[in-house]
Amino acid sequence: MQKLDGKTALITGASAGIGKETALALAREGCRVILTGRRAERLEKTGMQIKEMYHDDFYILIFDIRNKEEVKNAFERLPENWREIDILISNAGMARGVNKMQDANPKDWDEMIDTNIKGLLYVTYAVLPGMVKRNRGDIVHLGSIAGHEVYPGGNIYCATKHAVNAIEKGLRIDLADTPIRVSSVDPGMVETEFSEVRLGDKEKAKAVYAGMTPLTGRDIAETIVFILSRPAHVQIAEIVIFPTDQASAMVTHRRNA
Ligand code: 8X3
């Protein structure tokens, strides 16, 4: 098993959900953590929680992942002692809408593509050259079952997660002659703010998980800790993870339903 103690981990979208739980879990394992996102107040809350529970070795970096220049400038602002990033958790991602393509608002497509694909690439590009130079590092992408299947209302969101799947595979090829590992965690239903953002409605979001027990952000965070703590010769490529009540994107067992 590899110790994560003392490693520097950067987590995108660390203010809530899977990102926040992953930041907490990595801090618990002794990582120094860089918390990134758009919302300073919420990132500070994550930071305070880390301080109360584990240590105060965290750094908050604010940027909008969709803006290439902003991402570049933010990484240039990183203090010297935070620049050697050992672990990148590309978690930031979102879905907007469940309309058929003919009824959709193309603005939603831009937002998903800019966040889930282009944003992920901008951050990877900011971190990767340093990892290659130091000849060490771990990259974990948050994919989705939507990167393996396409379901009604999923169209463009599924396309972005299929892209994440291809990017992760391509990156593994590009880094095959280095010790840098590339992994992906691809969950089914996880209860976070995801469905509320997608559907724009708290009640509708609640109904997505009605009668079943979804995964939690913590379940995913512990899976990431497992991936990162494997011995150096073990590269977990992909983990597809469902709630026990779910069998595929389209098959969910609901009690009383
Ligand atoms: C989130 C899971 O099933 O809504 O990526 O696509 S799903």
Side-chain angles (χ1 to χ4, degrees), residues 143-146 151 157-158 161 187-190 194-195 198 208 246 249:
S144 168
I145 187 58
Y151 51 82
Y157 175 69
C158 295
K161 290 297 179 177
M189 292 162 92
V190 186
F194 176 84
S195 289
R198 183 180 219 172
V208 171
Q246 188 181 15

Side-chain angles (χ1 to χ4, degrees), residues 218-232:
R218 193 166 298 182
D219 295 322
I220 307 306
E222 295 308 334
T223 307
I224 291 173
V225 169
F226 172 81
I227 288 172
L228 294 172
S229 57
R230 290 315 85 206

Side-chain angles (χ1 to χ4, degrees), residues 171-183:
L171 199 49
R172 209 160 30 245
I173 293 168
D174 293 346
L175 295 168
D177 59 351
T178 78
I180 300 167
R181 303 184 296 186
V182 182
S183 307

Side-chain angles (χ1 to χ4, degrees), residues 4-37 42-61 82 87-92 140 142 216-226 228:
L4 304 182
D5 199 23
K7 292 195 175 180
T8 301
L10 183 140
I11 301 110
T12 65
S15 60
I18 295 171
K20 179 180 176 178
E21 290 299 333
T22 303
L24 289 171
L26 293 181
R28 182 195 69 211
E29 297 299 313
C31 288
R32 317 166 67 227
V33 288
I34 304 173
L35 313 171
T36 84
R42 296 186 68 176
L43 288 172
E44 272 154 24
K45 265 197 183 158
T46 308
M48 284 308 110
Q49 231 173 310
I50 288 173
K51 190 171 171 179
E52 274 162 29
M53 294 166 77
Y54 308 115
H55 56 69
D56 61 0
D57 221 357
F58 66 88
Y59 188 85
I60 291 174
L61 197 61
W82 285 99
I87 297 169
L88 167 61
I89 311 292
S90 270
N91 159 72
V140 181
L142 249 300
T216 64
R218 193 166 298 182
D219 295 322
I220 307 306
E222 295 308 334
T223 307
I224 291 173
V225 169
F226 172 81
L228 294 172

